[in-house]
Amino acid sequence: MIRALEYTGRPFIYIFEEFGRIFTFLINAITWMVRPPLRLRLVFKQMESVGVQSIIVVLITAVFTGMVLALQTFYGFRMFGGEGLVGATVALSMTREIGPVFTGLMVTARAGSAMAAEIGTMRVTEQIDALYAMSVNPIQYLVMPRLVAGVLMLPFLTIVSDFIGIMGGYVVGVFLLNINPGIFMARMVDMVNLGDIFNGLIKSACFGLILSLIGCYKGFNTRGGAEGVGKATTQTVVLSCVSILISDYFLTAFMFR
Amino acid sequence: MIRLSNICKSFNDQVVLDQLNLTVEPEKITVIIGQSGCGKSVLLKHMIALIRPDSGQVIVDGEDITSLDEKGLNQTRKKFGMLFQDAALFDSMTVGDNVAFPLREHTRLSEKDIEEVVFEKLKLVGLTESFHKMPSELSGGMRKRVGLARAIALDPKIILFDEPTTGLDPIMKDAIDGLIMKTQELTQATCVVISHDIDSAFKIANKLAMLSDGRIVESGTPEEFQASKNPVVVNFIKGHAETNNQN
Amino acid sequence: MLKLSAEAKVGIFVVIGIIILALMAMKVGKLGLRLGEGYEVQAFFDTASGLASDAPVEIAGVEVGRVNKIRLSEGKALVTIKIYPGVKITESVKAIIRTRGILGDKYIELLKGVEGAALILAGGRILNTEPTTDIDNLMIVLGEVANDIRILSHTLASVIGGEKGEASLRSILDNLDKTIQSINRTVQDNDENVKEITSNLSAFSQRLREIGDTNLDDLQIILKNIRRATGKIGELVAGINQIAGRINRGEGSIGKLVQDDATIENLNKALTSLREITDKISKGEGTLGRLITEDQTADRLDQTLSSMQEITEKINRGEGSLGRLINDDETVESLNSTLSSINDLLKKQDMFLTYLDYRGEYLFESNRVKSYFTLRIQPREDKYYLLQVVDSPRGKETVTDTIRTVDGVTITEKKVESKSSDLQFSAQIAKRYYDIGFRAGLFESTGGAGIDYYLFKDRLKLSFEAFDFDVERRPHLTFRADYKPFKFLYLTTGMDDFISDIGRESYFVGGGFSFSDEDIKTLLRSVTFTARTD
């Protein structure tokens, strides 16, 4: 009986343990963030890798999402003559949901996995031990810049994604579906508030933290050679994506009420 | 210089070190020999506190490093240089940057001076032409030499070598052995070498120690080892041909 | 291709991001930017059902404000409205909660009332309100009205119709008849009293006539005097008329002055009080009234009026200094400019502020506190001078690294000379354009410059400073965020010297307080006040 309980309870205990470890890891990284040296150069390098190098993939995702959104909502709204609302719908969905979430997912796939793989490789080839041996804290040297870059860059990627997505929607709506451009813009400006944009950006900063935290954590705790690195990378992508979607619900519930 | 007393360490119920005692004499080359997987690397990593013991003390320069916090540990670690098994060079940096790394972190030298020192160290290991290469472009032996250059960049008082000759061809092995001796001679540093290669061990060691079943079973000069009657030592010396290929 | 550093790439990206954000914010949040400005008025509604905060307030379909907050007060909904600056509403305005379309959001419509009613100022109240009038409500009210009408006609029918109704009608008529009879009787009974009152009245008028006869002489004198005075006044008025004619044509300086509305208002006031005085005089009130009745006074008045006439004539001809003054165009101009410059000066005096400020920053790296005492003199809102004493825990530090090579082994030696603590001085001049401020001058005893960005009604200030441009070292860069949750106190955090190549980079947190001279005055006053009451 007790063994059966133990058997079923173990996964839950494991989940809680993992939660606790990730949280401790985050606290550790934050304390190392406020200790000198600041390592701005490394932060910038990570910002380039997380932010600048993800622009293309984020742009492509955003523009096509905006376009397909315009197309789909158009057919829906046409049934009761509300074609003018297509712009507002595209803009609201982009700024509130699709911009932040899709950016988070794409950056997870691009940069989160890279973090896990890079740090994981450094772990299995003793490069992390080497950092310790040279009196350089790897949390500060490797993890902190990635976390900072994730939190800072995601909002910028998101704002670009919002903009491009809306542009995509505009092109499809106005040029392909012949919605009056004036009405398209007016309705959009009417319905979208500054708060929608900013809340989306706050969300994306949270996603940035989640994906870089999980990437670093999984990489940092890699065991078992090349196979371990592969496993860590896969786990990172899966766990990050799931966490982003779950936290998206709670953040939305909390912010938009 | 370094004294380990009553060190116990186990991983997941598996005892690796058991009441281990060892004293490393200053300004000499001490080689710790033992079978693969007997815990030699674990022992070495205790000396620089990369691994903390379950119980026991590690005393470096009269200071117990097991009780130090991160800040104190960083001070102590600056006395050390360490050459890792696969050199552990940072893949993202050039050879020059790798060697310059500890200098950039812990000195306030100008870039020009740093370059000078790096060149100096690379010259010592004979790899000046690889200055701008990435570690992935180097062979195993070259990587180890770069690792050595990086380990001695800050002129440490203690240098730790984790299996420096494993996986190298005999000529490269000889070259590395020569480098270890040359470095020791120049810097008068205390060197601790982990090896299961009995030939190199006898060649470079001032002192030898044998690790088996989590304890030091024998220690002394190479001559004393040759004359040892301890069956574990005798087996290891005689059976080196079999053990050599196992790693 | 040009090879950019990571910093440059990130920088370009961030700038693009900020530009896009600013574009979108401006497009979407055109009102968001204005939310902070304007003035508040209040209005009571019977119900504010469906009305939300931030709902628009419109006049003739043009948005002129936003609903700020809605709360319950005295059983009604008290709605606070923020009206945008420049929009004026009068007390006769009527506020109605309306619905956009059939399903749309609620908003408040202001119906413009009568022209010329008094303006509602900040904090005022719109008295005339009407709650939501949507179709449902209309139907309910209509239903109620119909119901009432039905009940009324029903009662009427039951009162008038039938025997019972007839009977009550007859009794009403009977009562009326009785009442009229009793009034008649009352008048007859009091016949004597009425006669008495009439005789009293006639006696009173008799007395009045007697009084008139005895004072006839006096009255005649008064009338004669007044006639004489009127003659003189007539001449005076003719002279004034001449001047007025010139004034009307806009000649001379007074003519110009008169064309000014303010002057007219003043004149009006003066005339009103003059009229009051004349009223009093004609009633014989006050000393003047009494004086006029005397002969001597009349003579003096006569003389005065003559000389006044002379003066007016002289003025007219442009003689004498006053005449010249009044006839000279330049005088007015110089007077005008003098007045306006006095006005400016007064305004400047109003804005001239001096601030005293203390700031403490805890530096994580050195575990010590850096203190700033600041005197800020602000002659204009967009400009200030800053004098600062900085108590820096690190002081000046010189680091020298030397390398020695012995037998092919390099040894590095490091020598650090430092003063533990040092006082440094800053003197800066600052200028502000909208939300961005620039500073330049002495920063901690070295030359430098800084940029400030003000957010959230100046509650948050982001500053970036660069100074200590030494050839040997990297410049001292500081980034700082000041947040001001209260009027006097603020919190600060940032990074100090963050590209330092001698290990001085540090995060810091801290806080401070800032008082203007006005605040200090107020404080002192309240302190003395409490001291006195003790």
Side-chain angles (χ1 to χ4, degrees), chain A residues 114-125 128 215 218-222 225 229 232:
Chain A
M115 289 178 192
E118 203 181 334
I119 298 182
T121 309
M122 291 186 77
R123 166 60 83 187
V124 299
T125 57
I128 287 177
K218 286 288 176 193
F220 210 78
N221 292 292
T222 304
V229 174

Short mmCIF file of all heavy atoms in Angstrom, two decimals, chain A residues 114-125 128 215 218-222 225 229 232:
data_model
loop_
_atom_site.label_atom_id
_atom_site.label_comp_id
_atom_site.label_asym_id
_atom_site.label_seq_id
_atom_site.Cartn_x
_atom_site.Cartn_y
_atom_site.Cartn_z
N ALA A 114 19.96 26.58 -27.85
CA ALA A 114 21.39 26.83 -28.00
C ALA A 114 22.05 27.02 -26.64
O ALA A 114 23.17 26.54 -26.39
CB ALA A 114 21.61 28.07 -28.86
N MET A 115 21.34 27.71 -25.73
CA MET A 115 21.89 27.89 -24.39
C MET A 115 22.13 26.55 -23.72
O MET A 115 23.19 26.29 -23.15
CB MET A 115 20.90 28.70 -23.53
CG MET A 115 20.78 30.15 -23.90
SD MET A 115 19.55 30.93 -22.83
CE MET A 115 19.35 32.47 -23.70
N ALA A 116 21.10 25.69 -23.77
CA ALA A 116 21.22 24.39 -23.12
C ALA A 116 22.38 23.60 -23.73
O ALA A 116 23.19 23.01 -23.02
CB ALA A 116 19.92 23.62 -23.27
N ALA A 117 22.46 23.62 -25.06
CA ALA A 117 23.51 22.83 -25.72
C ALA A 117 24.89 23.38 -25.38
O ALA A 117 25.82 22.63 -25.07
CB ALA A 117 23.27 22.86 -27.22
N GLU A 118 25.02 24.72 -25.42
CA GLU A 118 26.33 25.32 -25.20
C GLU A 118 26.80 25.09 -23.76
O GLU A 118 27.91 24.62 -23.52
CB GLU A 118 26.21 26.82 -25.50
CG GLU A 118 27.52 27.47 -25.86
CD GLU A 118 27.33 28.96 -26.11
OE1 GLU A 118 26.21 29.36 -26.48
OE2 GLU A 118 28.30 29.70 -25.92
N ILE A 119 25.93 25.42 -22.81
CA ILE A 119 26.32 25.26 -21.41
C ILE A 119 26.48 23.79 -21.08
O ILE A 119 27.38 23.40 -20.34
CB ILE A 119 25.29 25.95 -20.49
CG1 ILE A 119 25.26 27.45 -20.79
CG2 ILE A 119 25.66 25.72 -19.02
CD1 ILE A 119 24.33 28.24 -19.92
N GLY A 120 25.60 22.95 -21.67
CA GLY A 120 25.71 21.51 -21.43
C GLY A 120 27.04 20.97 -21.90
O GLY A 120 27.70 20.19 -21.20
N THR A 121 27.47 21.39 -23.09
CA THR A 121 28.76 20.95 -23.61
C THR A 121 29.89 21.42 -22.70
O THR A 121 30.84 20.67 -22.41
CB THR A 121 28.98 21.51 -25.03
OG1 THR A 121 27.84 21.21 -25.80
CG2 THR A 121 30.22 20.91 -25.66
N MET A 122 29.77 22.64 -22.24
CA MET A 122 30.81 23.16 -21.35
C MET A 122 30.85 22.36 -20.05
O MET A 122 31.91 22.13 -19.48
CB MET A 122 30.55 24.64 -21.04
CG MET A 122 30.75 25.54 -22.24
SD MET A 122 30.60 27.27 -21.82
CE MET A 122 32.16 27.58 -21.03
N ARG A 123 29.68 21.91 -19.62
CA ARG A 123 29.63 21.11 -18.39
C ARG A 123 30.33 19.77 -18.62
O ARG A 123 31.20 19.39 -17.84
CB ARG A 123 28.17 20.92 -17.97
CG ARG A 123 27.93 19.85 -16.92
CD ARG A 123 28.67 20.14 -15.63
NE ARG A 123 27.95 21.07 -14.77
CZ ARG A 123 28.45 21.56 -13.65
NH1 ARG A 123 29.69 21.24 -13.27
NH2 ARG A 123 27.76 22.39 -12.92
N VAL A 124 29.99 19.08 -19.70
CA VAL A 124 30.55 17.73 -19.87
C VAL A 124 32.02 17.77 -20.29
O VAL A 124 32.71 16.78 -20.11
CB VAL A 124 29.72 16.87 -20.85
CG1 VAL A 124 28.31 16.69 -20.34
CG2 VAL A 124 29.72 17.45 -22.25
N THR A 125 32.50 18.86 -20.82
CA THR A 125 33.92 18.93 -21.17
C THR A 125 34.74 19.65 -20.10
O THR A 125 35.83 20.13 -20.37
CB THR A 125 34.14 19.64 -22.52
OG1 THR A 125 33.55 20.93 -22.43
CG2 THR A 125 33.52 18.88 -23.67
N ILE A 128 33.17 24.21 -17.31
CA ILE A 128 32.58 24.90 -16.16
C ILE A 128 33.47 24.73 -14.93
O ILE A 128 33.71 25.69 -14.18
CB ILE A 128 31.14 24.38 -15.92
CG1 ILE A 128 30.24 24.95 -17.01
CG2 ILE A 128 30.62 24.77 -14.54
CD1 ILE A 128 28.82 24.50 -16.97
N GLY A 215 16.74 27.08 -20.17
CA GLY A 215 17.88 26.70 -21.01
C GLY A 215 19.16 26.60 -20.20
O GLY A 215 19.91 25.62 -20.31
N LYS A 218 18.97 23.63 -17.49
CA LYS A 218 19.13 22.30 -18.07
C LYS A 218 20.58 22.10 -18.55
O LYS A 218 21.14 21.02 -18.39
CB LYS A 218 18.15 22.11 -19.24
CG LYS A 218 16.72 21.90 -18.80
CD LYS A 218 16.54 20.53 -18.19
CE LYS A 218 15.12 20.35 -17.63
NZ LYS A 218 15.02 19.15 -16.78
N GLY A 219 21.12 23.14 -19.15
CA GLY A 219 22.50 23.02 -19.61
C GLY A 219 23.46 22.85 -18.45
O GLY A 219 24.36 22.01 -18.47
N PHE A 220 23.22 23.63 -17.40
CA PHE A 220 24.14 23.62 -16.26
C PHE A 220 24.14 22.27 -15.56
O PHE A 220 25.13 21.88 -14.97
CB PHE A 220 23.72 24.73 -15.28
CG PHE A 220 24.85 25.30 -14.51
CD1 PHE A 220 25.70 26.22 -15.10
CD2 PHE A 220 25.07 24.93 -13.20
CE1 PHE A 220 26.76 26.75 -14.39
CE2 PHE A 220 26.13 25.46 -12.49
CZ PHE A 220 26.97 26.38 -13.08
N ASN A 221 23.00 21.58 -15.60
CA ASN A 221 22.91 20.31 -14.88
C ASN A 221 23.00 19.11 -15.82
O ASN A 221 22.46 18.05 -15.53
CB ASN A 221 21.61 20.27 -14.07
CG ASN A 221 21.66 21.27 -12.94
OD1 ASN A 221 22.43 21.12 -12.00
ND2 ASN A 221 20.87 22.32 -13.05
N THR A 222 23.65 19.31 -16.96
CA THR A 222 23.81 18.21 -17.91
C THR A 222 24.77 17.16 -17.33
O THR A 222 25.76 17.49 -16.70
CB THR A 222 24.36 18.74 -19.24
OG1 THR A 222 23.50 19.74 -19.71
CG2 THR A 222 24.48 17.62 -20.26
N GLY A 225 27.92 13.16 -21.03
CA GLY A 225 28.49 13.28 -22.37
C GLY A 225 27.54 13.84 -23.41
O GLY A 225 26.58 14.55 -23.10
N VAL A 229 23.88 16.01 -23.42
CA VAL A 229 23.67 17.33 -24.01
C VAL A 229 22.41 17.32 -24.88
O VAL A 229 21.57 18.21 -24.79
CB VAL A 229 24.89 17.78 -24.83
CG1 VAL A 229 24.60 19.09 -25.54
CG2 VAL A 229 26.10 17.92 -23.94
N ALA A 232 19.36 17.25 -22.67
CA ALA A 232 19.14 18.53 -22.03
C ALA A 232 18.49 19.51 -23.00
O ALA A 232 17.57 20.24 -22.65
CB ALA A 232 20.46 19.11 -21.51
#
